[in-house]
Amino acid sequence: MDNLKRNIGTFLYPAFRKWNTIKSEFISYPHSTGPFTAIPEEKMRAYNKVRFHGAKKLFCYNPFVNLFFDTYGNAVACCRSHQNVLGSYPRQSIKEIWFGEKAEKMREHLRHNDFNMGCEYCQLQMQSNRFQGLPSMAIDKLASTKTGIFPRVIEFELSNRCNLQCEMCSGRVSSSIRKNRESLDPLPMPYDDDFVEQLKEFIPHLKQAYFYGGEPFLIPIYYKIWEQVMLLNPKVKLYAVTNGTIMNDSIRKIFRSLDFNVTVSLDSLDKTRAEKIRFGCNFNEVIKNIHEFNALTGRKISISHTPMTINWSETPDIIDFCNKINAIINLSYVEGPAKFALWSLMPDKLNEIFDFYNKVVWKENHNSFEAKYNINIFNEWKNQVLFFKNRNQEILNSFSNINAHWEAETGKIEQFFTSLKTIQTLDQNKLEKLVSVFRRILESTTHTPWYLKSLENITQSLSDISIVSSPQFENYLNNPELLNHFFDETQQAEFFNGYY
């Protein structure tokens, strides 16, 4: 039956896309009015053309049908709107949060296609026309603006308990990182048995439920929730995002008893790189578990891949792997740390990545519905790389006369060094070496806004001649190579981070 549905979907999808394109032109979209600023109609039309469940009037229906609980007890409208907290458990009950004033205010914003209430992430994705995988897309099938109804979807991120320490992750979603890398106490657990008890009123109304971590299959309260789902609404569709390291009989039983699906994180097909990125995992076990999850779900799993500065060249291979096993790809967007995000790169490097992606030839069958979807996802991602390149070039172009400012700051520092030659108490041999190292560093440093800022900071520090008697200056005098930290590569990432 699943294969038949896939074949029908593959056959009908081109016609559906054409119908969506036509329909999107005739919808009456909300306009900016009063305190609300509607997104442009051309963006709505572009988005509607690729909506899998049909063109619609509103961009996002999450506040009307979805509720997301995070590790701190906060409730938000979706997985990307963490800054706009609708309420907090246990200070408020689930019912008070869902039917509360803050939630209704957000719904009113989205009725006007206004993104100015915690929707910055989707606003950025919209600018680059990267629509696939948006939280709004995931909820479209259940779209509604009815008031007074219970949520049709609840997303649970109730604990950060996790067995891995992924390079791009943080202690917010990994207890192992919080303990070992950040040396912090465990996060308090706000959710209790009363939370599960309150959910009993909501579970019968659910169509979908999502479970995140941490690692969801290591979080005890999830098993309690799944027990209630078995009793109250066993037909609800359940989804978990897992690192793929956990597989046991308890999981197999749950999958055989409920309509369960998973998204497995996979950031490399190279064992060494995969185990470096996802520190603590056994790559071979993850691949083995991916195939077992795929069998348990009737070949319906998804793969979540995060293209980063350390693995971007593997993205096509990951998609080929998905096409081979009929899995759907999800390309995760890196918001931080900035050093792992492609948007933190220079335009030339981004252009290199875009050219690399442009030359991709798909190895595996690319005619199935899943493969066509995956390739569309990839093409959107490829175009977002081009968006990053053009945007970063515009950012750099906005800084005029960098070379002139650079020469001015360098001249001030040279004057300072010249004045030090008259100070007899200074070791002139060490000073000469310091000056030599500093000039070498400057000669090899690209004139960019972030390094110019470093140069200005140095000039500011040297504006007072008394600094030569400080322990800090003595340290540089004895170890001139320490000057390199003023021009380390992390400054580039942090610079662009201010624009994303």
Side-chain angles (χ1 to χ4, degrees):
M1 179 61 71
D2 287 332
N3 286 333
L4 177 61
K5 288 180 179 179
R6 288 191 182 102
N7 291 336
I8 293 174
T10 301
F11 177 75
L12 293 178
Y13 189 60
F16 177 76
R17 286 286 301 271
K18 289 180 180 179
W19 162 244
N20 243 14
T21 299
I22 295 170
K23 183 180 177 182
S24 67
E25 297 293 335
F26 293 94
I27 293 176
S28 177
Y29 300 108
H31 297 282
S32 297
T33 178
F36 304 109
T37 303
I39 62 176
E41 285 193 20
E42 61 268 21
K43 288 296 180 182
M44 279 302 304
R45 284 191 287 269
Y47 178 42
N48 269 331
K49 290 174 183 178
V50 299
R51 288 176 105 155
F52 187 73
H53 295 288
K56 293 175 174 58
K57 180 178 181 179
L58 302 185
F59 191 98
C60 178
Y61 292 85
N62 269 290
F64 303 95
V65 297
N66 187 70
L67 193 59
F68 182 108
F69 288 95
D70 72 14
T71 51
Y72 303 103
N74 296 326
V76 295
C78 78
C79 61
R80 293 292 187 175
S81 63
H82 290 285
Q83 301 305 313
N84 184 38
V85 177
L86 306 178
S88 184
Y89 181 88
R91 190 165 59 247
Q92 297 159 280
S93 69
I94 303 175
K95 204 167 184 179
E96 287 171 338
I97 294 169
W98 177 250
F99 292 105
E101 183 179 335
K102 191 81 178 284
E104 182 52 40
K105 182 178 180 182
M106 188 171 191
R107 292 175 192 127
E108 193 61 22
H109 274 264
L110 270 300
R111 283 190 186 97
H112 293 82
N113 279 341
D114 183 345
F115 279 11
N116 293 315
M117 198 173 170
C119 302
E120 291 81 6
Y121 171 82
C122 288
Q123 200 157 24
L124 175 63
Q125 303 304 312
M126 178 189 66
Q127 289 174 12
S128 60
N129 285 346
R130 184 173 178 246
F131 301 122
Q132 305 284 358
L134 287 178
S136 54
M137 185 80 83
I139 215 72
D140 262 0
K141 185 178 180 180
L142 304 171
S144 173
T145 57
K146 291 181 180 178
T147 58
I149 63 171
F150 281 79
R152 297 178 178 182
V153 183
I154 297 183
E155 299 179 86
F156 301 96
E157 189 183 78
L158 306 188
S159 169
N160 71 338
R161 184 174 179 180
C162 186
N163 55 338
L164 301 187
Q165 300 178 56
C166 301
E167 284 192 287
M168 63 289 191
C169 201
S170 71
R172 185 184 73 82
V173 287
S174 170
S175 56
S176 296
I177 290 176
R178 188 172 174 88
K179 176 183 177 180
N180 299 311
R181 191 192 300 172
E182 299 174 353
S183 300
L184 296 172
D185 292 333
L187 284 176
M189 177 60 166
Y191 303 100
D192 51 19
D193 287 343
D194 187 53
F195 180 79
V196 179
E197 187 66 29
Q198 290 185 35
L199 282 174
K200 291 181 180 179
E201 186 177 6
F202 287 77
I203 289 173
H205 302 277
L206 291 180
K207 300 296 184 182
Q208 299 174 0
Y210 293 80
F211 298 86
Y212 312 113
E215 167 50 46
F217 295 116
L218 290 177
I219 299 173
I221 195 172
Y222 287 169
Y223 289 85
K224 295 181 180 181
I225 295 173
W226 295 332
E227 286 178 6
Q228 294 304 317
V229 171
M230 287 183 196
L231 293 172
L232 301 172
N233 189 1
K235 293 185 178 181
V236 64
K237 292 184 180 297
L238 306 179
Y239 303 84
V241 179
T242 173
N243 58 35
T245 62
I246 309 298
M247 177 60 73
N248 53 47
D249 287 340
S250 295
I251 295 172
R252 295 183 183 100
K253 180 183 177 182
I254 291 168
F255 273 69
R256 288 165 183 151
S257 303
L258 295 168
D259 187 358
F260 222 125
N261 206 347
V262 292
T263 297
V264 185
S265 299
L266 184 66
D267 290 317
S268 176
L269 290 173
D270 176 81
K271 176 177 170 63
T272 301
R273 182 181 289 174
E275 293 180 353
K276 182 177 185 295
I277 293 175
R278 295 190 168 270
F279 181 75
C281 85
N282 181 312
F283 174 74
N284 292 333
E285 283 295 314
V286 171
I287 295 298
K288 177 184 173 184
N289 290 340
I290 284 175
H291 290 296
E292 182 165 359
F293 275 127
N294 208 21
L296 286 169
T297 60
R299 301 185 73 185
K300 294 187 295 184
I301 70 165
S302 301
I303 297 295
S304 179
H305 170 66
T306 306
M308 298 176 284
T309 54
I310 54 178
N311 70 340
W312 57 266
S313 63
E314 289 206 54
T315 302
D317 292 333
I318 297 285
I319 291 178
D320 262 325
F321 174 76
C322 290
N323 294 346
K324 183 177 182 179
I325 66 172
N326 280 343
I328 290 293
I329 190 68
N330 172 56
L331 296 182
S332 296
Y333 177 87
V334 179
E335 293 185 87
K339 67 178 181 178
F340 292 116
L342 294 194
W343 48 255
S344 72
L345 297 175
M346 291 289 281
D348 288 348
K349 184 63 179 179
L350 289 166
N351 197 55
E352 174 192 330
I353 296 171
F354 179 76
D355 286 344
F356 175 85
Y357 286 160
N358 251 346
K359 295 174 183 175
V360 168
V361 176
W362 302 107
K363 301 173 186 175
E364 298 296 336
N365 169 40
H366 57 271
N367 293 318
S368 69
F369 172 80
E370 288 86 357
K372 288 180 178 179
Y373 175 86
N374 293 341
I375 292 170
N376 283 336
I377 293 283
F378 175 77
N379 287 335
E380 280 196 352
W381 170 248
K382 177 180 69 176
N383 289 332
Q384 186 164 61
V385 171
L386 183 62
F387 170 81
F388 295 154
K389 177 246 180 182
N390 292 334
R391 183 171 185 175
N392 287 2
Q393 190 62 64
E394 290 176 5
I395 292 168
L396 294 177
N397 290 344
S398 68
F399 290 83
S400 59
N401 299 322
I402 285 184
N403 289 336
H405 289 302
W406 189 276
E407 293 301 325
E409 297 301 321
T410 303
K412 293 175 186 178
I413 295 171
E414 289 288 352
Q415 289 176 8
F416 175 79
F417 285 142
T418 299
S419 68
L420 296 186
K421 293 180 180 180
T422 62
I423 302 178
Q424 296 181 353
T425 55
L426 279 179
D427 186 324
Q428 293 298 315
N429 289 328
K430 289 184 177 180
L431 177 62
E432 185 175 336
K433 185 177 180 181
L434 178 68
V435 173
S436 175
V437 169
F438 186 73
R439 287 171 177 166
R440 172 172 56 79
I441 292 172
L442 288 187
E443 287 174 2
S444 62
T445 300
T446 307
H447 297 187
T448 60
W450 50 94
Y451 290 146
L452 176 61
K453 184 65 177 177
S454 295
L455 206 56
E456 290 172 345
N457 290 337
I458 295 172
T459 305
Q460 181 65 32
S461 299
L462 300 179
S463 61
D464 185 354
I465 194 67
S466 66
I467 195 175
V468 298
S469 60
S470 69
Q472 184 182 17
F473 188 82
E474 183 70 20
N475 199 22
Y476 287 118
L477 204 59
N478 292 324
N479 304 281
E481 295 297 334
L482 291 174
L483 290 168
N484 280 294
H485 88 270
F486 283 102
F487 302 96
D488 66 65
E489 294 179 357
T490 60
Q491 295 179 50
Q492 174 181 317
E494 293 307 317
F495 170 80
F496 283 119
N497 192 31
Y499 294 86
Y500 286 91

